[in-house]
Amino acid sequence: MRTRTLIGLATLALCTGAQAQKSTADGIAEYRKMLEDGNPAELFEAKGEALWSQKRGPKNASLEKCDLGQGPGVVKGAFVTLPRYFPDTQRVQDLESRLVTCMATLQGFDAAEIAKTPFGRGEMANVTALATWIAASSRGMRFNLPQGNAAERESYEVGKRAFFYRGGTHDFSCASCHGEEGKRIRLQDLPNLTKNPGDGIGFAAWPAYRVSNGQMWSMQLRLNDCFRQQRFPYPGFGSEVTIALATYMGVNAKGAESIAPAIKRRRRCK
Amino acid sequence: MKKLPLLAGGTLAAALLAGCATGPSPAEMDAKANQLIKSSFRDQGIAKTDRLAQDLGQSACSSDKAPDDATADKIMAEALVTVKWPAGGQFIGDWRTGERLAQDGRGMTWTDNSTDPKSNGGNCYNCHQIDKKEISYGTIGPSLWNYGKNRGITDPAAPATAPIVQYTWVKLWNSKAYSACSNMPRFGHKGLLDEQQLRDIMALLLDPKSPVNQ
């Protein structure tokens, strides 16, 4: 109830007159501060934490032996080093695709089946909750993705090319909106993702709770909706292009503090 | 003739050695990235994978470096000849409809049902200031406030204004005619807006009665 009222006030304050123009970034910072002690993402964190230790799936096992890159079962600090190369799967994986690997190998779930499940449904909703909790476990830590492995360096190079790849009906690439400083779509500030955009901005903010639709958005869903708005075809969950883009943005964000899971509100006033 | 296989073998060995030391060359990475991009997407609704096939203007503008001058000139020249002029030399429509189109950011995503221009908006306010009364505007493109007034347009049908009117039509039809790597969609060329919709947006920008020119 309290959260609702605050959202209402923030909307009103941010969408009246010229004052909204001057203080777009200030307004968002103020708004986030108001919600700091009441971020609905906490509900998803709690769900994810419970799922981690719960015995589930055909093998009736927990995820407590899942290796997120820091050794089996180590959660803290994993988020700020992903995507990275995993010797067992012989590929670079982001948090979500790695979770699906663990759900398949440890719990016996069908990885392809999960990857096909729409966001917000079934086991995909569980992947998002797990990712939210694992991200929260690294809150306040700084991004430091490994680039020591040839596959990791290649992922960065592929990601950079994907970031600048123009196509579709509107000729857009990621860089059309996220390649310059200080630009906006409508009133929405656009982070420059070709470099470190700053603490808690861009890659360092997702997963995030979106007030506009009341949904918890993972990085995979964030990228998916960017491609939708780019008028591109549909990117597969955990596909090479999504992981390479995450590597590119994550390496660029080196040193940025993670505030994930953040809270986001679209600034449209329409 | 006999030497050829040996030479090829030697080149291959050298390439492999170089590969071990430094990883794939930039050109090899380009090819690999293109292949991985293509295999990562599938059709969804009206958004098919053929949208990943690039024309020269897209492929030459797909890196952090601008294309060389010769390539840029080629892109612009090819874009210019795509422009279709409006029937009857009628460039100006209704600015009220133009404003509605400028506000509307819909169309052509995989959640849209039709590729008919009638179901699309112009997306203009996403990137441009246009009518000053609209405070929710983007800044990727320049401000278009007073677009016609600043260019001295009092009668868009007068012969003296033809260069500006035609320039504006070309910019809307195929923005690459004037800037090879323009960020602006090619509204006419890509079938995003039809002739009448473009006339209405022209009116928003150029009609002295449009709120943009007050």
Side-chain angles (χ1 to χ4, degrees), chain A residues 21 154 160-161 164-166 168 171 183-186 224 228 231-234 236 240-241 268 270, chain B residues 30 32 40 42 51-52 54 58 61-62 103 105 107 110-111 126 134-137 139 182 186:
Chain A
Q21 283 297 304
E154 189 171 299
K160 182 177 181 184
R161 284 159 175 78
F164 286 93
Y165 192 93
R166 295 180 68 157
D171 305 327
K183 298 291 184 186
R184 304 192 317 240
I185 290 280
R186 291 280 183 164
N224 179 282
R228 186 185 67 82
R231 277 77 177 178
F232 270 44
Y234 195 96
E240 300 284 352
V241 79
R268 293 293 292 258
K270 280 276 147 196
Chain B
D30 289 349
K32 175 143 201 187
S40 290
R42 62 167 169 80
R51 292 187 180 186
L52 298 170
Q54 293 178 308
Q58 291 172 329
C61 300
S62 284
Q103 290 281 0
W110 70 62
T111 48
N126 279 339
E134 176 54 84
I135 61 148
S136 176
Y137 62 86
T139 58
S182 172
R186 296 170 282 177

Side-chain angles (χ1 to χ4, degrees), chain A residues 185-231:
Chain A
I185 290 280
R186 291 280 183 164
L187 290 180
Q188 178 71 57
D189 287 328
L190 300 165
N192 178 357
L193 300 174
T194 66
K195 42 169 270 192
N196 179 354
D199 291 346
I201 300 173
F203 192 72
W206 300 88
Y209 181 79
R210 297 197 61 160
V211 177
S212 55
N213 54 18
Q215 292 171 0
M216 192 69 219
W217 275 32
S218 66
M219 192 66 209
Q220 280 284 330
L221 177 50
R222 172 63 282 179
L223 288 174
N224 179 282
D225 201 59
C226 278
F227 278 125
R228 186 185 67 82
Q229 294 183 69
Q230 255 175 265
R231 277 77 177 178

Side-chain angles (χ1 to χ4, degrees), chain A:
Chain A
M1 223 31 224
R2 185 173 134 271
T3 311
R4 271 244 179 96
T5 314
L6 284 175
I7 291 165
L9 281 173
T11 309
L12 195 69
L14 291 172
C15 293
T16 42
Q19 144 220 7
Q21 283 297 304
K22 286 180 211 145
S23 57
T24 302
D26 292 351
I28 288 178
E30 188 186 347
Y31 167 74
R32 289 215 186 108
K33 196 146 193 67
M34 281 196 283
L35 287 178
E36 249 172 20
D37 53 359
N39 185 342
E42 285 166 17
L43 298 171
F44 295 85
E45 284 177 41
K47 180 184 171 188
E49 184 173 14
L51 280 167
W52 181 257
S53 51
Q54 193 185 331
K55 289 193 170 80
R56 296 192 331 119
K59 292 185 181 173
N60 194 36
S62 80
L63 289 168
E64 288 162 313
K65 290 192 179 120
C66 178
D67 186 350
L68 299 167
Q70 308 294 309
V74 180
V75 171
K76 188 180 161 83
F79 178 66
V80 289
T81 62
L82 290 167
R84 69 182 302 145
Y85 178 76
F86 288 90
D88 58 347
T89 54
Q90 299 192 332
R91 58 179 297 220
V92 176
Q93 295 185 286
D94 66 352
L95 174 55
E96 289 161 81
S97 59
R98 186 61 188 172
L99 280 167
V100 172
T101 296
C102 287
M103 289 166 75
T105 55
L106 298 174
Q107 298 181 309
F109 285 106
D110 182 338
E113 209 45 54
I114 297 176
K116 271 194 291 188
T117 307
F119 291 105
R121 307 241 186 95
E123 288 302 325
M124 186 62 92
N126 289 336
V127 172
T128 302
L130 284 159
T132 303
W133 172 63
I134 291 161
S137 304
S138 291
R139 203 189 325 239
M141 296 176 75
R142 294 187 180 279
F143 278 93
N144 189 19
L145 271 63
Q147 283 279 281
N149 183 288
E152 289 164 348
R153 291 192 295 273
E154 189 171 299
S155 184
Y156 179 88
E157 287 298 323
V158 170
K160 182 177 181 184
R161 284 159 175 78
F163 191 87
F164 286 93
Y165 192 93
R166 295 180 68 157
T169 55
H170 287 55
D171 305 327
F172 293 150
S173 68
C174 306
S176 302
C177 288
H178 294 290
E180 274 187 88
E181 305 297 312
K183 298 291 184 186
R184 304 192 317 240
I185 290 280
R186 291 280 183 164
L187 290 180
Q188 178 71 57
D189 287 328
L190 300 165
N192 178 357
L193 300 174
T194 66
K195 42 169 270 192
N196 179 354
D199 291 346
I201 300 173
F203 192 72
W206 300 88
Y209 181 79
R210 297 197 61 160
V211 177
S212 55
N213 54 18
Q215 292 171 0
M216 192 69 219
W217 275 32
S218 66
M219 192 66 209
Q220 280 284 330
L221 177 50
R222 172 63 282 179
L223 288 174
N224 179 282
D225 201 59
C226 278
F227 278 125
R228 186 185 67 82
Q229 294 183 69
Q230 255 175 265
R231 277 77 177 178
F232 270 44
Y234 195 96
F237 175 87
S239 57
E240 300 284 352
V241 79
T242 59
I243 291 171
L245 279 169
T247 305
Y248 176 67
M249 292 186 290
V251 170
N252 289 345
K254 187 181 171 78
E257 182 186 335
S258 172
I259 61 160
I263 183 157
K264 297 273 185 180
R265 188 188 160 275
R266 267 200 293 179
R267 300 174 47 74
R268 293 293 292 258
C269 306
K270 280 276 147 196

